Amino acid sequence: MGVEGIGASVARKEDKRFLTGKGRYTDDMSVPGMKYAFFVRSPYAHARIKSIDMSAAKDMPGVIGILEGKQLQADAIGNIICGWMIHSKDGSPMKMGAWRPLAHETVRYVGDAVAIVVADSMGEARDAAEAVVVEYDVLPAVTEAVKALEAGQPQLHPEAPNNLIFDWQLGDGAAADKAIAEAAHVTEITLRNNRLAPNPMEPRATLGIYDSAEDHYTCYTTSQNPHVARLVMSAFYNVAPENKLRVIAPDVGGGFGSKIYIYPEEIVCLWASKKTGVPVKWTCDRTEAFLTDAHGRDHVSTVKMAFDKDNRITGLKVDTIANLGAYMSLFSSAVPTYLYATLLSGQYAIPAIHANVRTVYTNTVPVDAYRGRAAGGDLSSRADYGDRGAGTRRFAGGTPPQELRADFPLSDPGDHELRRR
Amino acid sequence: MAKVKMTVNGRQVGSDCEDRTLLVHFLRENLALTGTHVGCDTTQCGACVVHMDGRSVKSCTILAAQAAGSTIVTIEGLAGSGELHPVQAAFKANHGLQCGFCTPGMVMTAVDMIRRHGANLDEATVRSELDGNICRCTGYHNIVKSILAAAAEMAGAQQAAE
């Protein structure tokens, strides 16, 4: 007989249903009278919507309804918010532009949703969506954050001149500057932490059900946090008061952060269910996932690391430009600030650190936390420039990387404890 | 619209569907067999793998009409009710799954490769055979471990039977 109690292997409860095809993922859900939704999305990175012509589409077989941003606006459905206030160095609040769940006058990234088609079957919804004619006035677009800050670039939101959302800092700038000025050696490098697409195996899906008899909404959705979804959808997006909204996350096939946020699709499917009088299910396909699931990272950082003559790191100064995409996602402001700069020391005791972070709008998919938030950026950056710092020292007749590391004994927990302030 | 008939998990079934209906949607929507999953739109991910006339196929890239008259086995049909196929049991014992979404496809692919390679399966072959199945949670190590364990178990059981 095996071990019991502490040390025993505890088998997972969910494996049996996952292994036998009895998992209940959102797209597996079905309710009587359920219909299917497909979103019409912008093929342009930046454009004004001139007109939306549904005349051909709405008469196509199986179509129940086609809804657009103007109607969403008229029904007072709220804009998507970023829930974490960050102030710039000058004390001003972050410049949050409006993110309408269905674009109203302007589309700001390829994939920005413009209309929702509800039909009897997936195929019919897709066919009708292709027959919706949207006339766009195409505008110049900018996709690189560094470029978007320059003068003369396309401006995404009137609230954010030069596309700057906020200019934030953390740490002791004077001490870091002093360490650099007095250093025996300074290594400076530019690091690019490229954009990532989370791509959990299960694409996002939502089943929005409005029950007119009870005046009550139910939302099955691929969410990592259904309670947050309910709170945000009732308090900010005005979908329904909290006591009239039930959010259920059944089995979820991976998220890694990308299923934390409340996306346009959940809000619109619930609203569409009320408008059309039928339960509305939307399932993302993989191409759509690349276009609409929150992306990760997309930082460019200039890093300066100061060393004394014994190869100890005496100071670190980081200047990061972080691309947040076309709109501010739910936690996007917290990611390159408190979930990043606070971690720059890593496992080393660096006495003087300063970080400056500027966040920028560009005509790209919104960026938010993705598995380890931006930590991947800081730790690999640091290890990287730690190595490069040592490498440069070696080329200049300095110490090889192994000796640099030896100054920071990681294997001795006592010493590690001492160094953690 | 046409009525498409086939044998699925030992039962003869028939259902109306559009000509363009993919086998995976026929299984999920028409037959309510939602264990087979859709994970991509490029035939790359393998979440849709089923067995058709004894071979593993990607059901997202076969029309239901193409499968007319064939014998299909899905994840739901791998073992009798309440039991686990040795491959399913091995995944359970070796923590070969996390979110479970890629799992039906992994299991069906595993059963097929064990059928073809038997006890000769080694790690390199398993990894090569899994080229058409993507997992975003596990990093594959425990999936490979599960499959090798299952192959050994099934070879042992076969030897005992002989």
Side-chain angles (χ1 to χ4, degrees), chain A residues 168-193:
Chain A
W168 174 91
Q169 70 175 346
L170 187 75
D172 190 338
D177 286 338
K178 185 166 184 282
I180 287 165
E182 294 171 1
H185 177 82
V186 176
T187 294
E188 177 169 347
I189 46 176
T190 301
L191 292 170
R192 179 182 289 277
N193 199 359

Side-chain angles (χ1 to χ4, degrees), chain A residues 39-44 47-57 66-69 103-107 112-117 128-138:
Chain A
F39 282 87
V40 177
R41 298 185 182 279
S42 170
Y44 300 107
R48 298 249 184 273
I49 300 169
K50 281 166 71 178
S51 63
I52 302 177
D53 182 358
M54 305 172 190
S55 53
I66 305 178
L67 302 164
E68 57 174 320
H104 182 45
E105 284 155 353
T106 309
V107 290
D112 211 346
V114 168
I116 180 174
V117 176
E130 282 174 21
V132 174
V133 181
V134 185
E135 253 200 271
Y136 293 101
D137 204 356
V138 183

Side-chain angles (χ1 to χ4, degrees), chain A residues 301-312:
Chain A
S301 301
T302 310
V303 182
K304 286 185 191 166
M305 190 175 251
F307 296 88
D308 67 15
K309 60 174 175 47
D310 299 318
N311 295 331
R312 287 181 187 276

Side-chain angles (χ1 to χ4, degrees), chain A residues 89-156:
Chain A
K89 292 184 293 205
D90 65 5
S92 61
M94 65 196 189
K95 312 282 192 282
M96 192 169 79
W99 184 2
R100 311 196 199 289
L102 285 178
H104 182 45
E105 284 155 353
T106 309
V107 290
R108 294 180 174 84
Y109 71 100
V110 175
D112 211 346
V114 168
I116 180 174
V117 176
V118 179
D120 288 331
S121 70
M122 287 187 290
E124 285 165 329
R126 213 179 257 264
D127 288 343
E130 282 174 21
V132 174
V133 181
V134 185
E135 253 200 271
Y136 293 101
D137 204 356
V138 183
L139 301 169
V142 59
T143 55
E144 298 263 348
V146 174
K147 187 144 181 243
L149 287 174
E150 292 168 9
Q153 291 302 310
Q155 298 294 293
L156 270 82

